[in-house]
Amino acid sequence: GLVDGDEPFKKLLTQGMVLKDGAKMSKSKGNTVDPQSYIDKYGADTVRTAMMFAAPPDQSFEWSEAGLEGAMRFLKRMWTMVHEHAAAGSVVAMDTSALSDEARGLRRKAFETLARADDDFGRRIQFNTVVSSVMELCNAVGKFKPTHENDRAVVNEALKHAVLIISPIAPHIAHSLWQVLGETTSLVGYPWPEIDESALVQSSIEYVVQVNGKVRGKIEVPADADKER
């Protein structure tokens, strides 16, 4: 009689088990690991990132130190990428009307990642895909070669998105990188960016040409092309 509904909550997330050598970790089995030793060795952000990346929170996963090594490599790469970008100097205001196709592609990737994180954090509660999407965004930034200041503005925006998205999972590193990117306000409590719908619009679409089930080529056409074209 304490609540009007059948359940006192709107949604239930049942967490998966952490396994070691195929068995559920438990004190009675004596197969638990001390997280403090890994935090001392790799840092709390790395341990959190590895655990969030290992599996969706509602599924079990096998504990592996190899996952910690991979998470550390990713965070170190992001750290280096942000510092190298900042060391190149200040960033001008972005002129979205003068972006190259490559720059528009990176900006679209940044906002696609942001939109995906919105859904993964909120509706889906899939933190592993949050981490993987930030990894993909960092890969895209690494492949992009800025040729002028407007390009650097796009890179700056993309890196800020990456830092903001990963901040709930790796808050200490994200807070430091946020300052490196020139922000003077604290990342804690910073408003989540609005999605720029115009950045998500594709100017062209790539079609894969297959003959008898085998890829024979790729054709890029304007997104607004009619069927006859």
Side-chain angles (χ1 to χ4, degrees):
L2 297 178
V3 294
D4 295 329
D6 294 334
E7 301 288 351
F9 39 76
K10 293 182 178 181
K11 189 171 184 179
L12 172 65
L13 174 66
T14 304
Q15 292 180 304
M17 298 290 184
V18 182
L19 310 177
K20 190 171 187 294
D21 301 324
K24 181 182 71 173
M25 275 192 190
S26 67
K27 291 183 178 179
S28 61
K29 293 182 179 180
N31 64 347
T32 59
V33 297
D34 179 12
Q36 189 60 52
S37 62
Y38 292 105
I39 292 172
D40 292 341
K41 182 177 180 181
Y42 295 100
D45 280 357
T46 296
V47 175
R48 251 194 309 267
T49 301
M51 292 183 69
M52 294 299 99
F53 183 56
D58 58 342
Q59 296 182 19
S60 300
F61 74 92
E62 181 76 23
W63 176 261
S64 170
E65 191 166 351
L68 295 171
E69 296 284 355
M72 176 170 275
R73 285 194 299 270
F74 158 60
L75 293 175
K76 280 185 174 180
R77 184 172 180 238
M78 178 185 281
W79 180 275
T80 301
M81 189 175 291
V82 170
H83 277 265
E84 288 181 347
H85 166 73
S90 59
V91 179
V92 300
M94 187 191 307
D95 181 3
T96 57
S97 65
L99 297 179
S100 64
D101 290 341
E102 292 77 12
R104 291 184 189 279
L106 177 58
R107 193 160 190 259
R108 182 171 60 253
K109 179 68 174 178
F111 278 98
E112 287 174 347
T113 304
L114 183 63
R116 182 178 178 181
D118 277 344
D119 194 40
D120 287 344
F121 274 131
R123 181 183 64 87
R124 298 179 68 238
I125 315 180
Q126 300 290 291
F127 308 131
N128 58 314
T129 51
V130 171
V131 178
S132 63
S133 64
V134 175
M135 289 178 174
E136 292 173 6
L137 177 57
C138 288
N139 287 338
V141 172
K143 292 176 182 178
F144 181 70
K145 304 302 179 185
T147 57
H148 49 75
E149 286 302 304
N150 213 28
D151 285 348
R152 293 197 68 246
V154 174
V155 171
N156 195 70
E157 181 182 61
L159 289 174
K160 283 186 177 180
H161 282 186
V163 170
L164 273 166
I165 293 168
I166 205 67
S167 63
I169 296 171
H172 300 97
I173 287 174
H175 176 79
S176 179
L177 294 181
W178 188 246
Q179 306 297 320
V180 173
L181 287 169
E183 293 293 335
T184 57
T185 58
S186 173
L187 186 54
V188 177
Y190 189 84
W192 195 254
E194 295 290 335
I195 303 296
D196 185 349
E197 298 295 340
S198 65
L200 299 175
V201 177
Q202 288 184 278
S203 59
S204 63
I205 299 174
E206 186 177 72
Y207 284 94
V208 177
V209 180
Q210 288 185 319
V211 179
N212 296 328
K214 294 184 178 181
V215 177
R216 298 300 183 184
K218 297 179 180 179
I219 302 173
E220 189 168 299
V221 300
D224 58 354
D226 53 31
K227 290 184 178 180
E228 285 71 18
R229 293 179 63 185

